[in-house]
Amino acid sequence: MRRKTKSCCSPSCRPPAGRRGLPALPAALLALALLLLSGCGGGKDESLRIGAALYTQDDTFISAMAQDLEGLVREAESGTGEKITLFIADGKSSQSTQMDQVDRFLARGCDVLFVNLVDRTAAAVIADKAEAEGVPLVFFNRQPVAEDIQRWDRIYYVGADARESGELQGKLVLDAWRADRETLDRNGDGVLQYVMLEGEPGHQDSLLRTEYSIKAVTDGGVEVEKLANETANWNRAQAAARTVQWLEEFGDGVEVIFSNNDDMALGAIDALADTPRDRWPLIVGVDATAPALEAVAAGQLYGTVHNDGRGQAQAMMDLALALWTGEDPELADGHYVWLPYRQVTLENLDEFLED
Ligand code: BGC
Ligand code: CA
């Protein structure tokens, strides 16, 4: 049952409407507490039920987000005394499995859905199912096209701007080149020779990180030469296998390894660690996962770009609570919440290790 539609929840016992601004969690918690004090909640059927569908729980970044969501639910529960149930479903990289999971969430009466699509082109079908049941839908991490988001005014996307992550990654490399070109330009030809480890084909983060990382380097006036690029599907073992092949093919000719995420950068590091050599290429990733931060500390990963999964999980919870309590969330273009990316190198590593 959606609290907004419960008869006991007259508008007078909801928080003031018309306040623009996605509430920080404490504000949303306060709104929940007010609802309870006013006698609107407490019964079991009054609990907030959230259904979260993950594309696969095997993905390092996504499974960390799922843990963050679980933690945030516990925090919100203890802050309000209200029961909040989070159902998590693992799509195991199958869109048809995920469709069934969404159907089950709707049949169970979930009040809001969080969907991390397996296949971005399936967004419209899920959007229509949610709209038919009147259940708000928050897509995250895998961004549907704008037309799909605009199908209904209660469809949202929480994420980070993929283009920004590419630009920041490229700038890490550009700065390294400017600071110590002699070391980076191993063959001294004034050109930066690179390989690119790409995420899943068709994922906005693969396409835009690949494009904008290189653009940042060339916009900085550095000539580049692509030796090879291939997808490793965000996966560490696949990236290690690709890197082994490239090392055999190009040897020390690889000056930089760009990776669309940290897991694949760690795969490249695994491959290099297995083939002892005097100097490693410069390696950059995206995400700032815990093992990647360790690799930065160890000097194996030059840098990464912090993808704020916790911030995204928090924004999703804030949105769910705001929708439930009838608050008016702050959104970009009526549908979006964007979290910023940040560069990470040895210099500012401490700020991220404390997280
Ligand atoms: C992350 C990857 C992750 C992918 C999953 C990206 O934003 O950077 O690590 O595998 O999302 O969709
Ligand atoms: Ca060179």
Side-chain angles (χ1 to χ4, degrees), residues 331-348:
L331 299 160
D333 301 323
H335 295 271
Y336 295 88
V337 181
W338 297 111
L339 278 288
Y341 280 106
R342 283 166 68 200
Q343 288 177 324
V344 189
T345 60
L346 255 185
E347 273 175 32
N348 64 348

Side-chain angles (χ1 to χ4, degrees), residues 270-293:
D270 294 340
L272 283 155
D274 281 350
T275 54
R277 56 190 64 239
D278 293 344
R279 272 166 52 191
W280 284 23
L282 187 111
I283 307 170
V284 283
V286 178
D287 281 336
T289 59
L293 294 177

Side-chain angles (χ1 to χ4, degrees), residues 173-174 177 181 185 189-194 214 216-226 255:
V173 173
L174 184 63
W177 177 274
R181 176 170 152 183
D185 186 14
D189 66 352
V191 178
L192 187 150
Q193 276 82 17
Y194 74 92
I214 298 304
V217 176
T218 54
D219 282 354
V222 177
E223 198 184 327
V224 298
E225 181 189 356
K226 180 170 73 183
E255 293 172 347

Side-chain angles (χ1 to χ4, degrees), residues 144-166:
V145 294
E147 300 85 79
D148 290 343
I149 294 281
Q150 282 151 11
R151 287 176 93 82
W152 183 36
D153 60 2
R154 283 155 75 81
I155 300 178
Y156 308 93
Y157 179 71
V158 174
D161 177 3
R163 176 178 164 154
E164 184 188 12
S165 54

Side-chain angles (χ1 to χ4, degrees), residues 281-336:
L282 187 111
I283 307 170
V284 283
V286 178
D287 281 336
T289 59
L293 294 177
E294 278 172 30
V296 173
Q300 296 174 318
L301 183 64
Y302 174 73
T304 182
V305 179
H306 179 243
N307 187 2
D308 188 2
R310 190 168 200 288
Q312 291 165 39
Q314 173 92 61
M316 288 156 63
M317 278 303 295
D318 287 353
L319 189 50
L321 292 169
L323 292 167
W324 199 48
T325 56
E327 290 237 334
D328 198 6
E330 183 181 346
L331 299 160
D333 301 323
H335 295 271
Y336 295 88

